[in-house]
Amino acid sequence: MAANLHGAATEGAELVGTSVDAEPAVIVEAINSFLAKPKKAGWFAKVDNWDDRALPIGSLWGHAIARKFGWQWASLTQHDHDDFKAIAIVNDDRSLAVFPFHYCFGCLENHVPPTVLLAYNMLDAAKIPQQPPGGYMNLMDGVHHIIPPA
């Protein structure tokens, strides 16, 4: 699975116009910009937001978080969602989790302003309140713009 994630991250980098080896801050900014204004498909092309965009871009985002903060990929069971299994990137003590594929898909499908860059900056500045170890709190549920970006 890890090999597939790296290959998908490389594809995600091409989509958002960066390199998989770029600085994590550059990668996250490119992801945030893409999710804010995704490129339209060609005249006769159909884009599947899950396979063609959310999986590669989410892989790239997770790759950047792992490189910058030392987080790891994990398969989690969401008991509050009928035991749905999802791939997440989690911090060392498992207090925080990001579900990058689902988050990217939600932004693309629902035209929601992304908070990928905001979450990254908050992590980088150590502005995320301490959470209980093993709680797997979904970081993106709590990161919102006070004033939506223009």
Side-chain angles (χ1 to χ4, degrees), residues 24-123:
V26 171
I27 290 172
V28 170
E29 189 168 339
I31 291 169
N32 203 81
S33 294
F34 184 92
L35 292 176
K37 294 183 180 177
K39 295 178 178 90
K40 297 194 185 277
W43 276 91
F44 298 104
K46 183 174 186 312
V47 173
D48 180 308
N49 277 333
W50 182 257
D51 289 332
D52 299 337
R53 291 181 169 176
L55 291 178
I57 294 171
S59 295
L60 179 64
W61 181 18
H63 177 73
I65 291 173
R67 283 180 45 217
K68 175 68 177 179
F69 303 111
W71 288 30
Q72 302 171 350
W73 290 101
S75 177
L76 302 180
T77 301
Q78 296 177 321
H79 298 295
D80 53 343
H81 294 286
D82 295 326
D83 291 341
F84 181 77
K85 292 190 186 291
I87 302 298
I89 187 99
V90 299
N91 66 348
D92 284 343
D93 71 359
R94 307 297 199 253
S95 61
L96 299 173
V98 171
F99 298 89
F101 311 125
H102 293 88
Y103 182 85
C104 291
F105 184 74
C107 287
L108 293 164
E109 286 287 302
N110 301 312
H111 309 286
V112 175
T115 56
V116 173
L117 183 58
L118 178 59
Y120 177 88
N121 289 338
M122 290 174 71
L123 284 169

Side-chain angles (χ1 to χ4, degrees), residues 9-33:
T10 301
E11 184 181 331
E14 291 173 17
L15 269 173
V16 302
T18 189
S19 165
V20 73
D21 298 318
E23 288 297 317
V26 171
I27 290 172
V28 170
E29 189 168 339
I31 291 169
N32 203 81
S33 294

Side-chain angles (χ1 to χ4, degrees), residues 118 144-150:
L118 178 59
H144 304 281
H145 292 288
I146 295 171
I147 300 171

